[in-house]
Amino acid sequence: MNNFKSYLVLTFIFLLALLSVGSAYTLPEGQQALITQFGRIVGKPVTQAGLHFKLPFIHDVRCFEKRILEWDGDSNQIPTKDKKFIWVDTTARWRIIDALTFAQTVRTEDAAQTRLNSILDGSRRDIISNHNPVEAVRNTNTLLEQTRKREEALAAAEKEPTPATIEMEEEITGEEESIIVGRERLSEMIHSRAKEKLRELGIELIDVQLPRIAYENSAEEKVYERMVSERKRIAEKIRSIGKGEQAKIRGKLNLDLKEIESIAYRQSQDIKGLAEAEAISIYAKSLGQDPEFYEFMRTLEAYRKTLKDKGSFVMSTDSDFLRLMQQKR
């Protein structure tokens, strides 16, 4: 009898332990749970982490992530508004905000990734195909405005070039189209279009980004060629401004040189005139003091200049030029 009672007590304890284990479950931080009864969802989602209870053997627990999840789409080739093809990579962040709706519509996270592929790829294709590729490449017109300002500066410098203009750095863009929407706005438009559809699945779409935009190979080569030609054009314009500045400096240099030469020539002529006047004055004084001696010195000077070692003169013996040589000593 005592053995039977002991058996009953052990059996009761075992069943109680089994019921305790089967009726309790722990929900980890960052997850949420749904209670199902024979495959049918009962009750509201459990979102608080910690120890919870359920009916043993009847209720099952299905856990879902409550944290932010990532979605990385495949790189697809998408036609743009101007019939060009570009490669677009898309990434997004999402989370489950209504576990009940999520379980009823998509059931699992893997299935949710598939629905995200369909909805986000469709939204991405619709938005980008209605805009030019430059809208997906750039956010603002900053580079274009800088290029236009540089064009205006270069045009003004052609009229009056300065050294600062020649040292201007090149910072141009390969596209000349103006930005109306921009890359960030396109991401927002894709997000707005897709989030309502995903909310119906119990999913909150947090954001959408376009991490990489690449031109199709043939279009990419044309863009590079256009960028190269644009840079060459800017370089040629800067060179022409440099040549104009060079001509301006050389012209000023020649003008200054001529002015210096003119001043020097005038000063030399003034000095020469003063020297000749002083020489004439000395000659006049000498002539006044001793005319015969002055005549003698001038005649000797004339002989020295005209009578060379080699040469001959035909003169009359009564020539005044030889009078000094004919005089008796």
Side-chain angles (χ1 to χ4, degrees), residues 110-169:
D110 290 338
Q113 290 285 353
T114 302
R115 295 298 298 273
L116 283 166
N117 288 338
S118 175
I119 293 174
L120 286 175
D121 280 343
S123 300
R124 173 180 60 179
R125 185 174 295 273
D126 292 342
I127 295 298
I128 292 180
S129 61
N130 289 325
H131 295 84
N132 291 329
V134 67
E135 301 283 359
V137 173
R138 297 207 307 265
N139 286 325
T140 63
N141 288 316
T142 301
L143 293 178
L144 185 59
E145 291 172 359
Q146 291 177 353
T147 303
R148 288 174 177 172
K149 289 180 180 179
R150 179 170 292 104
E151 293 287 343
E152 294 175 359
L154 291 174
E158 286 180 349
K159 299 179 181 178
E160 188 176 354
T162 61
T165 307
I166 303 175
E167 297 174 358
M168 189 182 302
E169 296 180 357

Side-chain angles (χ1 to χ4, degrees), residues 4-41:
F4 180 72
K5 288 183 178 180
S6 299
Y7 177 75
L8 287 178
V9 171
L10 292 174
T11 302
F12 178 76
I13 293 173
F14 174 76
L15 291 176
L16 182 62
L18 186 63
L19 289 174
S20 299
V21 173
S23 63
Y25 68 93
T26 301
L27 185 64
E29 189 70 36
Q31 290 192 345
Q32 52 190 328
L34 287 174
I35 306 300
T36 62
Q37 180 177 323
F38 305 116
R40 183 174 60 86
I41 299 173

Side-chain angles (χ1 to χ4, degrees), residues 99-297:
L100 179 59
T101 303
F102 182 83
Q104 291 173 343
T105 54
V106 296
R107 293 183 176 274
T108 65
E109 292 177 10
D110 290 338
Q113 290 285 353
T114 302
R115 295 298 298 273
L116 283 166
N117 288 338
S118 175
I119 293 174
L120 286 175
D121 280 343
S123 300
R124 173 180 60 179
R125 185 174 295 273
D126 292 342
I127 295 298
I128 292 180
S129 61
N130 289 325
H131 295 84
N132 291 329
V134 67
E135 301 283 359
V137 173
R138 297 207 307 265
N139 286 325
T140 63
N141 288 316
T142 301
L143 293 178
L144 185 59
E145 291 172 359
Q146 291 177 353
T147 303
R148 288 174 177 172
K149 289 180 180 179
R150 179 170 292 104
E151 293 287 343
E152 294 175 359
L154 291 174
E158 286 180 349
K159 299 179 181 178
E160 188 176 354
T162 61
T165 307
I166 303 175
E167 297 174 358
M168 189 182 302
E169 296 180 357
E170 291 186 21
E171 186 179 352
I172 64 171
T173 176
E175 297 285 347
E176 292 295 340
E177 301 174 63
S178 179
I179 302 298
I180 300 175
V181 179
R183 186 169 181 166
E184 291 184 0
R185 180 56 184 157
L186 287 182
S187 300
E188 294 174 0
M189 294 170 66
I190 296 172
H191 175 265
S192 299
R193 176 170 293 196
K195 72 175 182 179
E196 296 301 327
K197 297 179 181 179
L198 292 173
R199 189 175 292 274
E200 297 174 358
L201 306 179
I203 296 174
E204 178 189 10
L205 185 62
I206 298 174
D207 65 1
V208 177
Q209 298 295 331
L210 304 176
R212 188 179 76 94
I213 304 292
Y215 285 98
E216 191 267 339
N217 291 336
S218 60
E220 187 174 0
E221 292 177 359
K222 292 181 180 178
V223 171
Y224 286 152
E225 291 176 359
R226 184 173 181 179
M227 292 176 67
V228 170
S229 63
E230 182 68 13
R231 290 177 182 273
K232 287 183 177 179
R233 184 178 66 83
I234 296 296
E236 286 298 324
K237 183 168 289 188
I238 293 175
R239 289 192 188 98
S240 65
I241 293 173
K243 291 179 180 178
E245 188 71 12
Q246 180 187 35
K248 180 179 178 181
I249 294 172
R250 286 186 174 177
K252 187 176 183 303
L253 179 64
N254 292 333
L255 182 62
D256 293 343
L257 180 61
K258 290 181 179 179
E259 184 177 358
I260 293 171
E261 290 177 346
S262 176
I263 294 173
Y265 178 76
R266 186 177 69 250
Q267 291 177 349
S268 66
Q269 290 298 114
D270 291 342
I271 294 172
K272 186 178 179 179
L274 292 174
E276 290 180 350
E278 186 176 357
I280 292 173
S281 176
I282 293 172
Y283 286 149
K285 290 180 180 180
S286 300
L287 179 62
Q289 292 177 359
D290 193 346
E292 294 182 357
F293 178 75
Y294 176 76
E295 182 182 2
F296 174 74
M297 293 299 297

Side-chain angles (χ1 to χ4, degrees), residues 298-314:
R298 294 291 290 176
T299 303
L300 291 179
E301 183 179 352
Y303 287 164
R304 185 172 59 253
K305 291 181 178 180
T306 56
L307 300 178
K308 304 296 183 180
D309 295 339
K310 296 180 179 180
S312 59
F313 285 88
V314 178

